[in-house]
Amino acid sequence: MITLAEESTNQERMITVILFAVLIAITLGVTIWASRQTKSATDFHSGGRGFTGIQNGFAIGGDYMSAASFLGIAGTIALFGYDGFLYSIGFLVAWLVALLLVAELLRNSGRFTMADVVSYRMRQRPVRTAASVSTLTVSIFYLLAQMVGAGALVALLLGIEEGQTYLGMSADVAKIVGIVVVGILMVTYVSFGGMTGTTWVQIIKAVMLMGGALLVSLLVLSMYDFNFGSLMNDAAASSAAGDAFLEPGQRYGVEVAGDAWQTMVNKLDLISLGLALVLGTAGLPHILIRFYTVPDSKTARKSVNWAIGIIGTFYLLTLILGFGAAALVGHEAITAQNPAGNTAAPQLAEAVGDHFGGDFWGAVMLAFIAAVAFATILSTVAGLTIASSSSLAHDFYNSVLRKGQATEQEEVRVARFAAIGVGVISIVLAVFAQNLNVAFLVALAFAIAASANLPTILLSLFWRRFNTRGAVAGIYGGLISSVGLVFFSPVVSGKVDAAGKNLALFPKDVDFSWFPLENPGLVSIPFGLLCAIVGTLTSKESDPRRYATLQVRALTGAGAERATTH
């Protein structure tokens, strides 16, 4: 005999499945349409450079506002209050760096990938190989975080807990199915739709995400007569920290009484995280390639302005979502569902729906926000996959293996196979990593981008003396130092909380950490820059004529449509 609780649960599951099916059907329809528009390498890699500033702005927002932003930041604010909002500020300020230093010059100087700019006045093969390795590394770490999140989200939304089954699936099987489904969809989007399909999926996702976040935020504020102060007071009262919930020091830069060393490490870790977030965005491969999808530099600037407005509005809404979850769901209920707080936003949506319309509308709101979160994951993984496949096909296959002699049809074909390869690797790794704490993967992706990619991009654009050895040393130096330092940090081994619970990737009886910071940016970013400078100064290679040409291209865009190999 089916109880009322079981019937309600099945109803919620059905609503969720229907919304997911509609979402996937719409995005696949867009991909099929886009596949008919993709005829050349320019179409595949950059959508024919035909997107407007508004369209590309929404696509950048869709690409950038990942599941880590939507679920992670709202959860961090719900659990740690003021400190959680530091992520929002860091992600937003990062766009000013991208706008002022990278967007216009990169759009004018390159064609499809960041390696087009870095390698323009250098020896193509070593620089493009290094850029491909860096792009693939950043993308894989970012992809793992998104896909593992997708697996957990699917299990959560189907209501499958340990010891339970649904449609014959246990919780672990449901997570694997979620990972595989996301992997298959992202390969489909990129292989068939190329950049055109991926961009429209990102635009759809951005509209859904902004609409969902705005709806829930307005409903939360209406419950408090739009008095944000009352909301914050309730959030503090419902938290485990009381009034300290509204002050800094709950999560980052914590002062440890009687331990000056640990206090200093905590504060340095905060600075390190901030550096990685602010500088990493301008070096993320899947963000950089978005600047190539517009027809000119003016449109590139306009698209970044739109992106700043969209992303800024969204991160302000995360403040309402986070404090709303703390006030209406409560610290215990959030951590009981997910210790990291990643389900705070869906739980808040359900609570708001219950308040205004009972259990049915609570289920509808939960399913809608869950579908938005799933769309968020799909668009981000699609952007990462096309960044990886474009780099492998354009930089490594064409420029390194074929020495620039591959036809456009060959390059597109290799890019499609590369997308399949990246998808398969990501699926396999994510299945094995599904029980790991993936928060460090996103921060590491930002740290790698800031350490390996950004210094070489900026030095290529602004330093006349910069050369091949400097570019290769900068990329590999930043890449190896950031990954290596994280491997020997408390994130991987030797971290336990006050209750003795293991918070590291390895079991708590394994401890080989010697680097005290959880984020390597404070060390790896200057080290990557230093490697680039030392590498340059130890080589006599110099080409002032190519640098002068690059300056003209960066300022005017002349020649950006042509191939950049020489």
Side-chain angles (χ1 to χ4, degrees), residues 144-486:
L144 278 180
Q146 303 300 319
M147 295 179 70
V148 170
L153 187 65
V154 169
L156 166 70
L157 297 175
L158 294 179
I160 307 174
E161 300 177 358
E162 294 298 328
Q164 297 181 347
T165 60
Y166 179 64
L167 296 178
M169 295 185 295
S170 66
D172 289 339
V173 172
K175 290 179 182 178
I176 294 174
V177 169
I179 290 169
V180 172
V181 168
V182 169
I184 292 173
L185 286 172
M186 79 179 187
V187 169
T188 303
Y189 293 152
V190 175
S191 299
F192 291 97
M195 179 57 87
T196 303
T198 299
T199 299
W200 281 108
V201 168
Q202 290 165 343
I203 292 171
I204 293 169
K205 167 269 178 105
V207 173
M208 287 182 62
L209 181 58
M210 290 299 296
L214 186 60
L215 174 62
V216 175
S217 297
L218 289 175
L219 291 176
V220 169
L221 288 176
S222 69
M223 294 172 65
Y224 288 88
D225 296 324
F226 293 90
N227 187 332
F228 188 65
S230 297
L231 172 60
M232 293 177 69
N233 290 335
D234 264 16
S238 301
S239 73
D243 289 342
F245 187 72
L246 305 178
E247 300 172 358
Q250 295 297 306
R251 174 66 178 85
Y252 305 110
V254 179
E255 294 188 2
V256 182
D259 193 339
W261 167 254
Q262 190 58 49
T263 297
M264 184 180 72
V265 168
N266 291 344
K267 292 186 181 300
L268 289 176
D269 219 355
L270 172 60
I271 296 171
S272 189
L273 175 63
L275 276 176
L277 295 180
V278 171
L279 299 179
T281 297
L284 290 174
H286 67 297
I287 298 298
L288 295 176
I289 64 171
R290 292 240 52 91
F291 299 136
Y292 296 128
T293 63
V294 293
D296 51 52
S297 59
K298 180 180 178 181
T299 311
R301 291 195 304 273
K302 185 177 180 181
S303 65
V304 175
N305 287 333
W306 272 95
I308 289 175
I310 294 165
I311 294 167
T313 302
F314 170 74
Y315 284 136
L316 286 175
L317 294 177
T318 60
L319 190 62
I320 301 172
L321 296 176
F323 280 120
L328 300 175
V329 181
H331 186 277
E332 290 185 7
I334 293 171
T335 53
Q337 183 68 57
N338 185 280
N342 290 328
T343 58
Q347 286 177 279
L348 173 63
E350 184 176 26
V352 170
D354 288 344
H355 176 81
F356 283 99
D359 290 345
F360 174 78
W361 286 108
V364 170
M365 287 294 293
L366 173 63
F368 173 65
I369 294 301
V372 169
F374 197 67
T376 299
I377 292 170
L378 287 178
S379 72
T380 302
V381 297
L384 290 161
T385 305
I386 197 165
S388 302
S389 61
S390 291
S391 182
L392 287 171
H394 180 63
D395 296 327
F396 188 71
Y397 174 75
N398 190 358
S399 300
V400 176
L401 298 183
R402 293 297 306 278
K403 299 181 181 179
Q405 301 303 309
T407 64
E408 286 199 352
Q409 288 72 23
E410 276 185 88
E411 192 172 303
V412 171
R413 186 164 61 249
V414 169
R416 285 176 167 148
F417 280 116
I420 295 172
V422 169
V424 171
I425 292 171
S426 300
I427 290 171
V428 173
L429 291 177
V431 167
F432 284 104
Q434 62 178 306
N435 294 320
L436 300 181
N437 179 348
V438 298
F440 85 101
L441 293 172
V442 174
L444 179 57
F446 274 79
I448 295 172
S451 305
N453 295 345
L454 186 60
T456 54
I457 291 172
L458 295 181
L459 292 176
S460 295
L461 290 170
F462 298 113
W463 191 18
R464 183 189 302 272
R465 179 77 169 77
F466 198 48
N467 54 34
T468 303
R469 183 182 294 177
V472 172
I475 291 174
Y476 286 131
L479 182 65
I480 294 171
S481 64
S482 54
V483 175
L485 290 177
V486 164

Side-chain angles (χ1 to χ4, degrees), residues 5-251:
E6 289 174 333
E7 185 177 345
S8 176
T9 300
N10 289 334
Q11 185 182 53
E12 291 175 14
R13 286 171 170 170
M14 184 58 64
I15 294 171
T16 301
V17 170
I18 290 172
L19 279 176
F20 272 42
V22 170
L23 170 69
I24 291 171
I26 291 173
T27 53
L28 285 177
V30 169
T31 302
I32 292 171
W33 167 80
S35 67
R36 297 169 181 167
Q37 321 299 316
T38 304
K39 298 180 175 62
S40 66
T42 301
D43 291 336
F44 185 88
H45 294 309
S46 61
R49 293 178 179 261
F51 289 99
T52 66
I54 298 176
Q55 290 170 339
N56 197 44
F58 270 90
I60 289 173
D63 210 357
Y64 190 67
M65 295 182 293
S66 67
S69 296
F70 180 45
L71 301 177
I73 293 179
T76 304
I77 294 174
L79 297 183
F80 301 107
Y82 177 92
D83 279 6
F85 197 49
L86 296 178
Y87 261 108
S88 300
I89 298 299
F91 282 137
L92 179 58
V93 171
W95 274 104
L96 298 179
V97 178
L99 173 63
L100 297 174
L101 294 180
V102 173
E104 180 180 353
L105 301 179
L106 196 76
R107 160 59 187 78
N108 287 344
S109 306
R111 192 177 182 212
F112 297 141
T113 66
M114 85 169 183
D116 288 340
V117 178
V118 176
S119 67
Y120 180 73
R121 55 194 178 100
M122 302 169 192
R123 297 198 305 277
Q124 296 285 309
R125 300 180 77 182
V127 175
R128 286 188 182 272
T129 300
S132 295
V133 171
S134 177
T135 296
L136 195 58
T137 304
V138 173
S139 299
I140 288 293
F141 276 109
Y142 221 131
L143 277 170
L144 278 180
Q146 303 300 319
M147 295 179 70
V148 170
L153 187 65
V154 169
L156 166 70
L157 297 175
L158 294 179
I160 307 174
E161 300 177 358
E162 294 298 328
Q164 297 181 347
T165 60
Y166 179 64
L167 296 178
M169 295 185 295
S170 66
D172 289 339
V173 172
K175 290 179 182 178
I176 294 174
V177 169
I179 290 169
V180 172
V181 168
V182 169
I184 292 173
L185 286 172
M186 79 179 187
V187 169
T188 303
Y189 293 152
V190 175
S191 299
F192 291 97
M195 179 57 87
T196 303
T198 299
T199 299
W200 281 108
V201 168
Q202 290 165 343
I203 292 171
I204 293 169
K205 167 269 178 105
V207 173
M208 287 182 62
L209 181 58
M210 290 299 296
L214 186 60
L215 174 62
V216 175
S217 297
L218 289 175
L219 291 176
V220 169
L221 288 176
S222 69
M223 294 172 65
Y224 288 88
D225 296 324
F226 293 90
N227 187 332
F228 188 65
S230 297
L231 172 60
M232 293 177 69
N233 290 335
D234 264 16
S238 301
S239 73
D243 289 342
F245 187 72
L246 305 178
E247 300 172 358
Q250 295 297 306
R251 174 66 178 85

Side-chain angles (χ1 to χ4, degrees), residues 428-566:
V428 173
L429 291 177
V431 167
F432 284 104
Q434 62 178 306
N435 294 320
L436 300 181
N437 179 348
V438 298
F440 85 101
L441 293 172
V442 174
L444 179 57
F446 274 79
I448 295 172
S451 305
N453 295 345
L454 186 60
T456 54
I457 291 172
L458 295 181
L459 292 176
S460 295
L461 290 170
F462 298 113
W463 191 18
R464 183 189 302 272
R465 179 77 169 77
F466 198 48
N467 54 34
T468 303
R469 183 182 294 177
V472 172
I475 291 174
Y476 286 131
L479 182 65
I480 294 171
S481 64
S482 54
V483 175
L485 290 177
V486 164
F487 184 75
F488 291 108
S489 76
V491 169
V492 174
S493 68
K495 183 181 181 182
V496 294
D497 61 14
K501 181 182 178 182
N502 182 43
L503 301 177
L505 299 184
F506 281 76
K508 65 179 179 181
D509 56 342
V510 177
D511 184 3
F512 49 82
S513 64
W514 53 262
F515 183 67
L517 304 182
E518 294 184 22
N519 191 286
L522 190 62
V523 176
S524 61
I525 295 172
F527 184 76
L529 179 62
L530 180 64
C531 287
I533 293 172
V534 171
T536 299
L537 296 178
T538 56
S539 171
K540 294 182 180 180
E541 177 191 356
S542 180
D543 193 342
R545 183 184 61 83
R546 294 287 291 184
Y547 176 69
T549 305
L550 180 63
Q551 281 191 310
V552 173
R553 291 176 60 135
L555 294 173
T556 67
E561 298 290 341
R562 297 192 294 273
T564 55
T565 54
H566 65 279

